[in-house]
Amino acid sequence: MYQVKCISKQYGNNLVLKDVTFALPNTGFVALVGQSGSGKSTLLNLLMGIDKPTRGQILYANKDIVHLRLKEKTIYQNQIIGVLLHY
C-alpha cells in the first residue's frame, strides 16, 4: 500500500504542494486530474522517486521511498510504479 503522509514540496519561495495525505492500494489504476499548475506533475515526480518532498513521507510497503538505496530505487521505478502520460 502507498501512504503519502503530510508531504509538501517547495521550490524557492513557491509552495507547490502543502500537507498532502492519502493512501492508495498496491494494485490498480489511479487517475490524477486537475487544473494546470495544481501540482499534478510534481506529485507524480515525488511518487516515482524522481524528486524528494520538502517535508513528509512517501511510503511503499512501509518503506520511505526517499531512503531507498540505488538498487532498491531502480527496482521500485522499473517494476513497482508505472506512469502513463496522456496529452
Coordinates of all heavy atoms in Angstrom, one line a residue:
M1 N 0.8 -1.2 0.0 CA 0.0 0.0 0.0 C 0.9 1.2 0.0 O 1.9 1.3 0.6 CB -0.9 0.0 1.2 CG -1.6 1.3 1.4 SD -2.7 1.4 2.8 CE -4.1 0.4 2.2
Y2 N 0.4 2.2 -0.7 CA 1.1 3.5 -0.7 C 0.5 4.4 0.4 O -0.7 4.4 0.5 CB 0.9 4.3 -2.0 CG 1.8 3.9 -3.1 CD1 1.4 2.9 -4.1 CD2 3.0 4.5 -3.2 CE1 2.2 2.6 -5.1 CE2 3.9 4.1 -4.3 CZ 3.5 3.2 -5.2 OH 4.3 2.8 -6.2
Q3 N 1.3 5.1 1.1 CA 0.9 6.0 2.1 C 1.7 7.3 1.9 O 2.9 7.3 2.0 CB 1.1 5.5 3.5 CG 0.2 4.3 3.9 CD 0.5 3.8 5.3 OE1 1.6 4.0 5.8 NE2 -0.5 3.3 5.9
V4 N 1.0 8.3 1.6 CA 1.6 9.7 1.4 C 1.1 10.4 2.7 O 0.0 10.6 2.9 CB 1.1 10.3 0.2 CG1 1.6 11.7 0.0 CG2 1.5 9.5 -1.1
K5 N 2.2 10.8 3.5 CA 1.9 11.4 4.8 C 2.4 12.9 4.8 O 3.6 13.1 4.8 CB 2.5 10.6 5.9 CG 2.0 9.2 6.0 CD 2.6 8.5 7.2 CE 2.0 7.2 7.4 NZ 2.6 6.5 8.6
C6 N 1.5 13.8 4.8 CA 1.8 15.2 5.0 C 2.9 15.7 4.2 O 3.8 16.5 4.6 CB 2.1 15.5 6.5 SG 0.6 15.3 7.5
I7 N 3.0 15.4 2.9 CA 4.1 15.9 2.0 C 3.8 17.3 1.6 O 2.7 17.7 1.3 CB 4.4 14.9 0.8 CG1 3.2 14.9 -0.1 CG2 4.8 13.6 1.2 CD1 3.5 14.3 -1.5
S8 N 4.9 18.0 1.5 CA 4.9 19.4 1.0 C 6.1 19.4 0.0 O 7.1 18.8 0.3 CB 5.0 20.4 2.1 OG 3.9 20.4 2.9
K9 N 6.0 20.3 -1.0 CA 7.1 20.5 -1.9 C 7.1 22.0 -2.2 O 6.2 22.6 -2.5 CB 6.9 19.7 -3.2 CG 8.0 19.9 -4.2 CD 9.3 19.4 -3.6 CE 10.5 19.6 -4.5 NZ 11.8 19.1 -3.9
Q10 N 8.3 22.5 -2.0 CA 8.6 23.9 -2.2 C 9.8 24.1 -3.1 O 10.8 23.4 -2.9 CB 8.8 24.6 -0.8 CG 8.9 26.1 -0.9 CD 8.9 26.7 0.5 OE1 8.5 26.1 1.5 NE2 9.2 28.0 0.6
Y11 N 9.6 25.0 -4.1 CA 10.7 25.4 -5.0 C 11.0 26.8 -4.7 O 10.2 27.7 -5.1 CB 10.4 25.2 -6.4 CG 10.1 23.7 -6.8 CD1 8.8 23.2 -7.0 CD2 11.2 22.9 -7.0 CE1 8.6 21.9 -7.4 CE2 11.0 21.5 -7.4 CZ 9.7 21.1 -7.5 OH 9.5 19.8 -7.9
G12 N 12.1 27.1 -4.0 CA 12.4 28.5 -3.6 C 11.3 29.0 -2.7 O 11.0 28.4 -1.7
N13 N 10.6 30.1 -3.0 CA 9.5 30.6 -2.2 C 8.2 30.1 -2.7 O 7.2 30.5 -2.1 CB 9.5 32.2 -2.3 CG 10.7 32.7 -1.6 OD1 11.2 32.2 -0.6 ND2 11.2 33.9 -2.0
N14 N 8.1 29.3 -3.7 CA 6.9 28.8 -4.3 C 6.5 27.4 -3.7 O 7.1 26.4 -3.9 CB 7.1 28.7 -5.8 CG 5.8 28.4 -6.5 OD1 4.7 28.5 -5.9 ND2 5.9 27.9 -7.7
L15 N 5.4 27.4 -2.9 CA 4.9 26.2 -2.3 C 4.0 25.6 -3.3 O 2.9 26.1 -3.6 CB 4.2 26.5 -1.0 CG 3.7 25.4 -0.2 CD1 4.9 24.4 0.3 CD2 2.9 25.8 1.1
V16 N 4.4 24.4 -3.8 CA 3.6 23.7 -4.9 C 2.6 22.8 -4.2 O 1.4 22.7 -4.7 CB 4.5 23.0 -5.8 CG1 3.7 22.3 -6.9 CG2 5.5 24.0 -6.4
L17 N 3.0 22.0 -3.3 CA 2.1 21.1 -2.5 C 2.2 21.4 -1.1 O 3.3 21.6 -0.6 CB 2.5 19.6 -2.8 CG 2.4 19.1 -4.2 CD1 3.0 17.7 -4.3 CD2 1.0 19.1 -4.7
K18 N 1.1 21.3 -0.4 CA 1.1 21.6 1.1 C 0.3 20.5 1.8 O -0.9 20.4 1.6 CB 0.5 23.0 1.4 CG 0.6 23.3 2.8 CD 0.0 24.7 3.1 CE 0.0 25.0 4.6 NZ -0.7 26.2 4.8
D19 N 1.0 19.8 2.7 CA 0.4 18.8 3.6 C -0.6 17.8 2.9 O -1.7 17.7 3.3 CB -0.3 19.5 4.7 CG 0.6 20.4 5.6 OD1 1.8 19.9 5.7 OD2 0.2 21.4 6.1
V20 N -0.1 17.2 1.8 CA -0.9 16.3 1.1 C -0.8 14.9 1.8 O 0.3 14.4 2.0 CB -0.4 16.2 -0.4 CG1 -1.2 15.1 -1.1 CG2 -0.6 17.5 -1.0
T21 N -2.0 14.3 2.1 CA -2.0 13.0 2.7 C -3.1 12.1 2.0 O -4.2 12.6 1.8 CB -2.4 13.1 4.2 OG1 -1.4 13.9 4.8 CG2 -2.5 11.8 4.9
F22 N -2.7 10.9 1.7 CA -3.7 10.0 1.1 C -3.0 8.6 1.1 O -1.9 8.4 1.3 CB -4.1 10.4 -0.3 CG -3.0 10.4 -1.3 CD1 -2.7 9.3 -2.1 CD2 -2.4 11.6 -1.6 CE1 -1.7 9.4 -3.1 CE2 -1.4 11.7 -2.6 CZ -1.0 10.6 -3.3
A23 N -3.9 7.6 0.8 CA -3.4 6.2 0.7 C -3.9 5.6 -0.6 O -5.0 5.9 -1.0 CB -3.9 5.4 1.9
L24 N -3.1 4.7 -1.2 CA -3.5 4.0 -2.4 C -3.3 2.5 -2.2 O -2.3 2.1 -1.6 CB -2.7 4.5 -3.6 CG -2.8 6.0 -4.0 CD1 -1.8 6.3 -5.1 CD2 -4.2 6.2 -4.5
P25 N -4.1 1.7 -2.9 CA -3.8 0.2 -2.8 C -2.6 -0.1 -3.6 O -2.1 0.7 -4.4 CB -5.1 -0.4 -3.4 CG -5.6 0.7 -4.3 CD -5.3 2.0 -3.7
N26 N -2.1 -1.3 -3.4 CA -0.9 -1.8 -4.1 C -1.1 -2.0 -5.6 O -0.2 -1.9 -6.4 CB -0.4 -3.1 -3.6 CG 0.3 -3.0 -2.2 OD1 0.7 -1.9 -1.9 ND2 0.4 -4.0 -1.5
T27 N -2.3 -2.3 -6.0 CA -2.6 -2.6 -7.4 C -3.8 -1.8 -7.9 O -4.6 -1.2 -7.1 CB -3.0 -4.1 -7.6 OG1 -4.1 -4.4 -6.9 CG2 -1.8 -5.0 -7.2
G28 N -3.9 -1.7 -9.2 CA -5.0 -0.9 -9.8 C -4.5 0.3 -10.5 O -3.3 0.6 -10.7
F29 N -5.4 1.1 -11.0 CA -5.1 2.3 -11.8 C -5.7 3.5 -11.0 O -6.8 3.4 -10.4 CB -5.8 2.2 -13.2 CG -5.1 1.2 -14.0 CD1 -5.6 -0.1 -14.1 CD2 -4.0 1.5 -14.8 CE1 -5.1 -1.0 -15.0 CE2 -3.4 0.6 -15.6 CZ -3.9 -0.7 -15.7
V30 N -5.0 4.6 -11.0 CA -5.4 5.8 -10.4 C -5.3 6.9 -11.4 O -4.2 7.0 -12.1 CB -4.6 6.1 -9.1 CG1 -5.0 7.5 -8.6 CG2 -4.8 5.0 -8.1
A31 N -6.3 7.7 -11.6 CA -6.2 8.9 -12.5 C -5.9 10.1 -11.6 O -6.6 10.3 -10.6 CB -7.5 9.0 -13.3
L32 N -5.0 10.9 -12.1 CA -4.7 12.2 -11.4 C -5.1 13.3 -12.3 O -4.5 13.5 -13.4 CB -3.2 12.2 -11.1 CG -2.7 13.4 -10.3 CD1 -3.4 13.6 -9.0 CD2 -1.2 13.3 -10.1
V33 N -6.1 14.1 -12.0 CA -6.6 15.1 -12.8 C -6.7 16.4 -12.0 O -6.8 16.4 -10.8 CB -8.0 14.8 -13.4 CG1 -8.0 13.6 -14.3 CG2 -9.0 14.6 -12.3
G34 N -6.6 17.5 -12.7 CA -6.6 18.8 -12.1 C -6.3 19.9 -13.0 O -5.8 19.7 -14.1
Q35 N -6.4 21.1 -12.6 CA -6.1 22.3 -13.4 C -4.6 22.4 -13.6 O -3.8 21.9 -12.8 CB -6.7 23.5 -12.8 CG -8.2 23.6 -12.7 CD -8.7 24.9 -12.0 OE1 -7.9 25.6 -11.4 NE2 -9.9 25.2 -12.1
S36 N -4.3 23.1 -14.7 CA -2.9 23.4 -14.9 C -2.3 24.2 -13.7 O -2.9 25.1 -13.2 CB -2.8 24.3 -16.2 OG -1.5 24.6 -16.5
G37 N -1.1 23.7 -13.3 CA -0.5 24.4 -12.2 C -0.9 23.9 -10.8 O -0.5 24.5 -9.8
S38 N -1.7 22.9 -10.8 CA -2.2 22.4 -9.5 C -1.3 21.5 -8.7 O -1.6 21.1 -7.6 CB -3.6 21.8 -9.6 OG -3.5 20.6 -10.5
G39 N -0.2 21.0 -9.4 CA 0.8 20.2 -8.7 C 0.8 18.7 -9.2 O 1.5 17.9 -8.5
K40 N 0.1 18.4 -10.2 CA 0.0 17.0 -10.7 C 1.4 16.4 -11.0 O 1.7 15.4 -10.6 CB -0.9 16.9 -11.9 CG -2.3 17.3 -11.7 CD -3.2 17.2 -12.9 CE -2.7 18.0 -14.1 NZ -2.7 19.5 -14.0
S41 N 2.1 17.1 -11.9 CA 3.4 16.7 -12.3 C 4.4 16.6 -11.1 O 5.2 15.6 -11.0 CB 4.0 17.6 -13.4 OG 3.3 17.5 -14.5
T42 N 4.3 17.5 -10.2 CA 5.2 17.5 -9.0 C 4.8 16.3 -8.2 O 5.7 15.6 -7.7 CB 4.9 18.8 -8.2 OG1 5.3 19.9 -9.0 CG2 5.8 18.8 -6.9
L43 N 3.5 16.0 -8.0 CA 3.1 14.8 -7.2 C 3.6 13.5 -7.9 O 4.1 12.6 -7.2 CB 1.6 14.8 -7.0 CG 1.1 13.6 -6.2 CD1 1.7 13.6 -4.8 CD2 -0.5 13.7 -6.1
L44 N 3.5 13.4 -9.2 CA 3.9 12.2 -9.9 C 5.5 12.1 -9.7 O 5.9 11.0 -9.5 CB 3.6 12.3 -11.4 CG 2.1 12.0 -11.7 CD1 1.9 12.3 -13.2 CD2 1.7 10.6 -11.3
N45 N 6.2 13.1 -9.9 CA 7.7 13.1 -9.7 C 8.0 12.6 -8.3 O 9.0 11.9 -8.1 CB 8.3 14.4 -10.0 CG 8.3 14.7 -11.5 OD1 8.3 13.8 -12.3 ND2 8.4 16.0 -11.8
L46 N 7.3 13.0 -7.3 CA 7.5 12.6 -5.9 C 7.2 11.1 -5.8 O 8.0 10.3 -5.2 CB 6.7 13.4 -5.0 CG 7.1 14.9 -4.9 CD1 6.1 15.6 -4.0 CD2 8.5 15.1 -4.3
L47 N 6.0 10.7 -6.3 CA 5.6 9.3 -6.2 C 6.6 8.3 -6.9 O 6.8 7.2 -6.5 CB 4.2 9.1 -6.7 CG 3.1 9.6 -5.9 CD1 1.8 9.5 -6.7 CD2 3.0 9.0 -4.6
M48 N 7.2 8.8 -8.0 CA 8.1 8.0 -8.8 C 9.5 8.0 -8.2 O 10.4 7.3 -8.6 CB 8.2 8.5 -10.2 CG 6.9 8.2 -11.0 SD 7.0 8.6 -12.7 CE 7.2 10.4 -12.7
G49 N 9.8 8.8 -7.2 CA 11.1 8.9 -6.6 C 12.1 9.7 -7.4 O 13.3 9.7 -7.2
I50 N 11.6 10.5 -8.4 CA 12.4 11.4 -9.2 C 12.8 12.6 -8.4 O 13.9 13.1 -8.5 CB 11.7 11.8 -10.5 CG1 11.5 10.5 -11.3 CG2 12.5 12.8 -11.2 CD1 10.6 10.8 -12.6
D51 N 11.9 13.1 -7.5 CA 12.2 14.3 -6.7 C 11.9 13.9 -5.3 O 11.2 12.9 -5.0 CB 11.2 15.4 -7.2 CG 11.8 16.8 -6.8 OD1 12.8 16.9 -6.1 OD2 11.1 17.8 -7.2
K52 N 12.3 14.7 -4.3 CA 12.1 14.4 -2.9 C 11.2 15.5 -2.3 O 11.3 16.7 -2.7 CB 13.5 14.5 -2.2 CG 14.4 13.4 -2.6 CD 15.7 13.5 -1.8 CE 16.7 12.5 -2.3 NZ 18.0 12.6 -1.6
P53 N 10.3 15.1 -1.4 CA 9.5 16.1 -0.8 C 10.3 17.0 0.1 O 11.3 16.6 0.7 CB 8.4 15.3 0.0 CG 9.1 14.0 0.2 CD 10.0 13.8 -1.0
T54 N 9.8 18.3 0.2 CA 10.5 19.2 1.2 C 10.2 18.7 2.6 O 11.0 18.8 3.5 CB 9.9 20.6 1.0 OG1 10.1 21.0 -0.4 CG2 10.6 21.6 1.9
R55 N 9.0 18.2 2.8 CA 8.6 17.7 4.1 C 7.6 16.5 3.9 O 6.9 16.4 2.9 CB 7.9 18.8 4.9 CG 7.6 18.5 6.3 CD 7.0 19.7 7.1 NE 5.8 20.2 6.5 CZ 5.6 21.5 6.1 NH1 6.6 22.3 6.3 NH2 4.5 21.8 5.6
G56 N 7.6 15.6 4.8 CA 6.6 14.4 4.8 C 7.3 13.2 4.3 O 8.5 13.1 4.1
Q57 N 6.5 12.1 4.2 CA 6.9 10.8 3.8 C 6.1 10.2 2.7 O 4.9 10.4 2.7 CB 6.9 9.8 5.0 CG 7.8 10.1 6.1 CD 7.6 9.1 7.2 OE1 6.5 8.8 7.7 NE2 8.7 8.4 7.5
I58 N 6.7 9.4 1.8 CA 6.0 8.6 0.8 C 6.4 7.2 1.1 O 7.6 6.8 0.9 CB 6.4 9.1 -0.6 CG1 6.0 10.5 -0.8 CG2 5.6 8.1 -1.6 CD1 6.5 11.1 -2.1
L59 N 5.5 6.4 1.6 CA 5.8 5.0 1.9 C 5.2 4.0 0.9 O 4.1 4.2 0.5 CB 5.2 4.7 3.3 CG 5.7 5.6 4.5 CD1 4.9 5.3 5.7 CD2 7.1 5.5 4.7
Y60 N 6.0 3.0 0.6 CA 5.5 1.9 -0.2 C 6.0 0.7 0.5 O 7.2 0.5 0.8 CB 6.1 1.9 -1.6 CG 5.6 0.6 -2.4 CD1 4.3 0.5 -2.8 CD2 6.5 -0.4 -2.5 CE1 3.9 -0.6 -3.4 CE2 6.0 -1.6 -3.2 CZ 4.7 -1.7 -3.6 OH 4.3 -2.8 -4.2
A61 N 5.1 -0.2 0.9 CA 5.4 -1.4 1.7 C 6.1 -1.0 3.0 O 7.1 -1.6 3.3 CB 6.1 -2.4 0.9
N62 N 5.7 0.1 3.6 CA 6.2 0.6 4.8 C 7.7 1.1 4.7 O 8.3 1.2 5.8 CB 6.1 -0.4 6.0 CG 4.6 -0.7 6.3 OD1 3.8 0.3 6.4 ND2 4.2 -1.9 6.5
K63 N 8.2 1.3 3.5 CA 9.5 1.9 3.4 C 9.4 3.2 2.7 O 8.6 3.4 1.8 CB 10.3 1.0 2.4 CG 10.8 -0.3 3.0 CD 11.7 -1.0 2.0 CE 12.3 -2.2 2.6 NZ 13.2 -2.9 1.6
D64 N 10.1 4.2 3.3 CA 10.1 5.5 2.8 C 10.9 5.5 1.5 O 12.1 5.2 1.5 CB 10.7 6.5 3.8 CG 10.6 8.0 3.4 OD1 10.4 8.2 2.2 OD2 10.7 8.8 4.3
I65 N 10.3 5.8 0.3 CA 11.0 5.7 -0.9 C 12.1 6.7 -1.1 O 13.0 6.5 -1.9 CB 10.0 5.8 -2.1 CG1 9.4 7.2 -2.2 CG2 8.9 4.8 -2.1 CD1 8.7 7.5 -3.6
V66 N 12.1 7.7 -0.3 CA 13.2 8.7 -0.3 C 14.6 8.1 0.1 O 15.6 8.4 -0.3 CB 12.9 9.9 0.6 CG1 14.1 10.8 0.8 CG2 11.8 10.7 0.0
H67 N 14.4 7.1 1.0 CA 15.6 6.5 1.6 C 16.0 5.1 1.0 O 16.9 4.4 1.5 CB 15.4 6.3 3.1 CG 15.2 7.5 3.8 ND1 16.1 8.6 3.9 CD2 14.1 8.0 4.5 CE1 15.6 9.6 4.6 NE2 14.4 9.3 4.9
L68 N 15.4 4.8 -0.2 CA 15.8 3.6 -0.9 C 17.2 3.7 -1.4 O 17.6 4.7 -1.9 CB 14.8 3.3 -2.0 CG 13.4 3.0 -1.7 CD1 12.6 2.8 -3.0 CD2 13.3 1.8 -0.8
R69 N 17.9 2.6 -1.4 CA 19.3 2.5 -2.0 C 19.1 2.5 -3.5 O 18.0 2.2 -4.0 CB 20.0 1.3 -1.5 CG 20.3 1.4 0.0 CD 21.1 0.2 0.4 NE 21.4 0.4 1.9 CZ 21.6 -0.6 2.7 NH1 21.5 -1.8 2.3 NH2 21.9 -0.3 3.9
L70 N 20.1 2.7 -4.2 CA 20.1 2.8 -5.7 C 19.5 1.6 -6.3 O 18.6 1.7 -7.1 CB 21.5 3.1 -6.3 CG 21.5 3.2 -7.8 CD1 20.6 4.4 -8.2 CD2 22.9 3.4 -8.2
K71 N 19.9 0.4 -5.9 CA 19.3 -0.8 -6.4 C 17.8 -1.0 -6.1 O 17.0 -1.4 -7.0 CB 20.1 -2.0 -5.9 CG 19.7 -3.4 -6.5 CD 20.6 -4.5 -6.1 CE 20.1 -5.8 -6.7 NZ 21.0 -6.9 -6.4
E72 N 17.5 -0.7 -4.9 CA 16.1 -0.7 -4.5 C 15.2 0.3 -5.3 O 14.1 0.0 -5.7 CB 15.9 -0.4 -3.0 CG 16.5 -1.5 -2.1 CD 16.4 -1.1 -0.6 OE1 16.8 0.1 -0.3 OE2 16.0 -1.9 0.2
K73 N 15.8 1.5 -5.5 CA 15.0 2.5 -6.2 C 14.9 2.1 -7.7 O 13.8 2.3 -8.3 CB 15.8 3.9 -6.1 CG 15.0 5.0 -6.8 CD 15.7 6.3 -6.6 CE 15.1 7.0 -5.4 NZ 15.5 8.4 -5.3
T74 N 15.9 1.5 -8.2 CA 15.8 1.0 -9.6 C 14.7 0.0 -9.8 O 13.9 0.0 -10.7 CB 17.2 0.4 -10.1 OG1 18.1 1.5 -10.0 CG2 17.1 0.0 -11.5
I75 N 14.6 -1.0 -8.8 CA 13.6 -2.0 -8.8 C 12.2 -1.3 -8.7 O 11.3 -1.6 -9.4 CB 13.8 -3.1 -7.8 CG1 15.1 -3.9 -8.1 CG2 12.6 -3.9 -7.6 CD1 15.6 -4.8 -7.0
Y76 N 12.1 -0.4 -7.7 CA 10.9 0.3 -7.5 C 10.4 1.0 -8.8 O 9.2 0.9 -9.1 CB 11.1 1.3 -6.3 CG 9.9 2.2 -6.1 CD1 8.8 1.8 -5.5 CD2 10.0 3.6 -6.6 CE1 7.7 2.7 -5.3 CE2 9.0 4.4 -6.4 CZ 7.8 4.0 -5.7 OH 6.8 4.9 -5.6
Q77 N 11.3 1.7 -9.4 CA 10.9 2.5 -10.6 C 10.6 1.7 -11.8 O 9.8 2.0 -12.6 CB 12.0 3.6 -10.9 CG 12.1 4.7 -9.9 CD 13.2 5.6 -10.1 OE1 14.3 5.2 -10.6 NE2 13.1 6.8 -9.6
N78 N 11.3 0.5 -11.9 CA 11.1 -0.3 -13.1 C 10.0 -1.4 -12.9 O 9.5 -1.8 -13.9 CB 12.4 -1.0 -13.5 CG 13.4 -0.1 -14.0 OD1 13.1 0.8 -14.8 ND2 14.7 -0.2 -13.7
Q79 N 9.7 -1.8 -11.7 CA 8.8 -2.9 -11.5 C 7.6 -2.6 -10.7 O 6.6 -3.3 -10.8 CB 9.6 -4.1 -10.9 CG 10.7 -4.6 -11.7 CD 11.5 -5.8 -11.1 OE1 11.0 -6.3 -10.1 NE2 12.6 -6.1 -11.6
I80 N 7.6 -1.6 -9.8 CA 6.5 -1.3 -8.9 C 5.6 -0.2 -9.4 O 4.4 -0.4 -9.5 CB 7.1 -1.0 -7.5 CG1 8.0 -2.0 -7.0 CG2 5.9 -0.7 -6.5 CD1 7.4 -3.4 -6.8
I81 N 6.2 0.9 -9.8 CA 5.3 2.0 -10.2 C 5.4 2.2 -11.7 O 6.5 2.1 -12.3 CB 5.7 3.3 -9.4 CG1 4.7 4.4 -9.6 CG2 7.1 3.8 -9.8 CD1 4.8 5.5 -8.6
G82 N 4.3 2.6 -12.3 CA 4.3 2.9 -13.7 C 3.4 4.1 -13.9 O 2.5 4.3 -13.2
V83 N 3.8 4.9 -14.9 CA 3.1 6.1 -15.2 C 2.8 6.2 -16.6 O 3.6 6.0 -17.5 CB 3.9 7.4 -14.8 CG1 3.2 8.7 -15.2 CG2 4.1 7.4 -13.3
L84 N 1.5 6.4 -17.0 CA 1.1 6.6 -18.3 C 0.7 8.0 -18.5 O -0.2 8.5 -17.8 CB -0.1 5.6 -18.6 CG -0.7 5.8 -20.0 CD1 0.2 5.4 -21.1 CD2 -2.0 4.9 -20.1
L85 N 1.4 8.7 -19.4 CA 1.0 10.1 -19.6 C 0.2 10.2 -20.9 O 0.4 9.6 -21.9 CB 2.3 10.9 -19.8 CG 3.3 10.9 -18.6 CD1 4.6 11.6 -19.0 CD2 2.7 11.5 -17.4
H86 N -0.9 11.0 -20.8 CA -1.8 11.2 -21.9 C -1.9 12.7 -22.1 O -2.3 13.5 -21.2 CB -3.1 10.6 -21.6 CG -4.1 10.8 -22.7 ND1 -3.9 10.3 -24.0 CD2 -5.2 11.5 -22.8 CE1 -4.9 10.7 -24.7 NE2 -5.8 11.4 -24.0
Y87 N -1.6 13.2 -23.3 CA -1.7 14.6 -23.6 C -2.8 14.9 -24.5 O -3.2 14.2 -25.3 CB -0.4 15.1 -24.3 CG 0.8 15.0 -23.3 CD1 1.7 13.9 -23.4 CD2 1.1 16.0 -22.4 CE1 2.8 13.9 -22.6 CE2 2.2 15.9 -21.6 CZ 3.0 14.9 -21.7 OH 4.1 14.8 -20.8

